[in-house]
Amino acid sequence: MKWTEFFIPTSKESPTEATVPSHQLMIRAGLIRQVVAGAYTYLPLGYRSLRKVEAIVREEMNRAGGIELHMPAMHPIEWWEQTGRVAAMGEVLLRLGGGSGDDWRSRTVLGPTHEEVITEIARAYLNSYKQLPVNFYQIQTKFRGEARPKSGVLRTREFLMKDAYSFHTAKEGAGGLDEGYQKMYDAYRAIFGRCGLPYIVVEAESGPIGGDASHEFMVPTEAGEDYLVQSEDGSYAANLERAAVAPLSDQHDGGNAPLREVHTPGFKTIDEVSGFLKCEPRKMIKTIIYEANGSPLVALVRGDHEVNEAKLGRFAGVGRVTPAGPDLIRKLTGAEVGFAGPVGLNARVIADQAVTVMHDAVTGANKTDYHITGVNAGRDFQIQESGDIRMAVEGDRAPNGSALAFKKCIEIGHVFKLGTKYSEAMDAKCLDADGKPKAFVMGCYGIGLNRIMAAAIEAFHDDKGISWPMSIAPFHVVICALDIREEAVTSLSQKLHDELGAAGIDVLLDDRDARPGFKFKDAELIGFPIRLTVGKKGLVEDLVELQIRRTGESQKVAPDQVVATVRRLVDTALRSERT
RNA sequence: CGGGGCGUAGCGCAGUCUGGUUAGCGCGCUUGACUGGGGGUCAAGAGGUCGCAGGUUCGAAUCCUGUCGCCCCGACCA
């Protein structure tokens, strides 16, 4: 491909709207152009990269036994009603408007994911356990009514996703969900490895759906919107929402202070009370009242900690917990909101482990405008149940005692054991070996293709521009033909271009009539892994220059050695990215 | 959805407070000349419903009202 016959609108400046590196560089390198908030055109150069990501994903999915199909973006809303997700997804579920309210438009949604559609396929065609297990996947455009698209292509309303769904008759055993899940997990490692991404697999929160396993594939970057925690010894990594923490030890600091009621008029929050009473938040017990299955559930955490509602629900064995409303709080505590405490409270109370090692604590008095100090568990109230029900914070340790580090990150893939949620809701079952109908046990597995591109740029860029992994670079090599009026330069450049192309190398020939610096800047901005420079100066000694973008190393190569040298560099890079 | 900011040429911006020539500047683009290993120089050009609608005024990019869009922080994120 020749530059002058291609289309690469690079730019020195980036729009003020772009604030994260991947967004700025994708615009400047001419990869994308925004159409509306959360939707982008992939310009030819950007599309080449996206297609390479897609090819890797497809290859590894096929290798793992996936079967590709293609589902529509338009779905009947009835199916979404069947699974209860019209309500669950709310505004995120995009609907066609403009109709009378009862025509096909208003009964059509744009799919943010495809569980419903694939489950219907399974219901229609998968009649026997003999057809299982099976794994269907597609690479398709998804639509989500994100409240706030941001960070370029990292969070958009329209994006390209690979979504796979596996069907089984059982969780365990040969052909079971566990096995199918593991296959996908392994395939994901292969995919992200080949894409050259510095990814981290973390335990993820599987949410109210349940299931014992869910993993997210994360790339650490400041532009991310999730946090992961990782133990120093590398043995533990989890999404912050999920992260388990080691118990805190008892410092035996105090424990003899008398229980005392203090007047705290209007001081309700931890900050207000700690400021008023001049005690540290860590000396306070935060008492949060939830509702679960219609009953009140009280959580106690240290004042400087936050309740992790998923952990709480799981620990309490109640599934989803929701914060209680003012009425229930008043009824339970006999006080206005802001003065709840464990002493004398008649409800199921679950204390975070950290609360069990507190002494002479401060907490609400269950009396409007009053708190109590000198509170000690065991003496002033009993802790019946305690465990890990809080969010991890800086300084916490993993369950094995290794220190936890926090990293901002972006999610690029997610594998998930769904179980029978959708198959039951949509009455999708097949006959098992025992002749009885069984709801499909399902898994689902997603990868954000656009995010892979952006994450790669976030991970690999410098002040000059992008530095692509070889596997997903739009071109492996750029040939900078300096001084195109020299016949020797153009003919050699063209020859190298043709030979490299014939050798299966993706090569772009910069044949523009521009000055050298201009071409170099563009080459570095776009981030071709390899740059070949053909110019008068080199030709005097019959050599061309070969430079590696990632390292900056350069070497002189004889023209007849170029193809072999480049081939070796490309292959080596592709191999190392695979691991 | 709450808070903040911004809409002037393809991109980056000035001008708006205090209304008044033909709305400017840089990058990019076109033509020509020079130049040619790190975004080069000179000259001549093209390119604008000042987001949109209404209002005030002799006169609106500028003032008023409404509206749309975009970005950032937060909330939300099966």
Side-chain angles (χ1 to χ4, degrees), chain A residues 23 50 126 144 230 256 258 400 482 501 505 514 557:
Chain A
H23 191 194
L50 192 58
L126 300 178
R144 294 190 187 182
Q230 192 177 30
N256 303 314
N400 74 354
L482 306 187
I505 305 288
V557 183

Side-chain angles (χ1 to χ4, degrees), chain A residues 97-169:
Chain A
S100 63
D102 190 31
D103 63 348
W104 69 271
R105 286 177 208 276
S106 34
R107 292 201 308 270
T108 301
V109 304
L110 292 178
T113 172
H114 283 68
E115 280 82 4
E116 282 77 2
V117 181
I118 198 71
T119 303
E120 195 276 337
I121 296 284
R123 181 172 66 189
Y125 295 115
L126 300 178
N127 311 312
S128 159
Y129 74 98
K130 292 178 187 167
Q131 294 168 282
L132 304 184
V134 65
N135 180 317
F136 292 118
Y137 80 94
Q138 65 171 346
I139 293 172
Q140 203 238 19
T141 302
K142 307 291 189 199
F143 298 88
R144 294 190 187 182
E146 294 290 353
R148 185 152 94 80
K150 58 189 276 196
S151 307
V153 303
L154 284 177
R155 188 172 189 78
T156 53
R157 293 195 174 126
E158 180 180 331
F159 55 96
L160 199 59
M161 180 166 156
K162 186 287 302 175
D163 48 324
Y165 307 89
S166 68
F167 294 86
H168 316 265
T169 49

Side-chain angles (χ1 to χ4, degrees), chain A residues 56-57 60-61 64 135-138 161-165 180-197 199 201 215-218 411-416 443-449 452 577-578:
Chain A
I56 290 171
V57 170
E60 294 300 329
M61 285 303 295
N135 180 317
F136 292 118
Y137 80 94
Q138 65 171 346
M161 180 166 156
K162 186 287 302 175
D163 48 324
Y165 307 89
Y181 182 90
Q182 187 61 41
K183 267 190 197 164
M184 283 297 103
Y185 184 100
D186 294 340
Y188 276 36
R189 294 187 52 115
I191 289 166
F192 299 128
R194 280 185 64 185
C195 289
L197 293 172
Y199 70 94
V201 191
H215 288 89
E216 285 169 337
F217 293 75
M218 302 288 205
E411 175 191 351
I412 51 171
H414 197 163
V415 291
F416 202 98
C444 75
Y445 319 92
I447 292 181
L449 304 203
I452 289 181
E577 283 162 8
R578 192 183 290 264

Side-chain angles (χ1 to χ4, degrees), chain A residues 49-101:
Chain A
S49 237
L50 192 58
R51 295 273 292 175
K52 288 200 170 185
V53 172
E54 192 180 327
I56 290 171
V57 170
R58 183 171 280 120
E59 237 177 87
E60 294 300 329
M61 285 303 295
N62 290 342
R63 196 195 308 278
I67 310 172
E68 187 170 13
L69 48 55
H70 196 81
M71 296 179 264
M74 294 195 290
H75 309 174
I77 196 167
E78 285 81 1
W79 292 359
W80 286 77
E81 279 162 352
Q82 269 183 50
T83 56
R85 293 171 101 194
V86 174
M89 300 207 79
E91 299 274 288
V92 173
L93 188 62
L94 277 180
R95 310 178 54 169
L96 299 187
S100 63

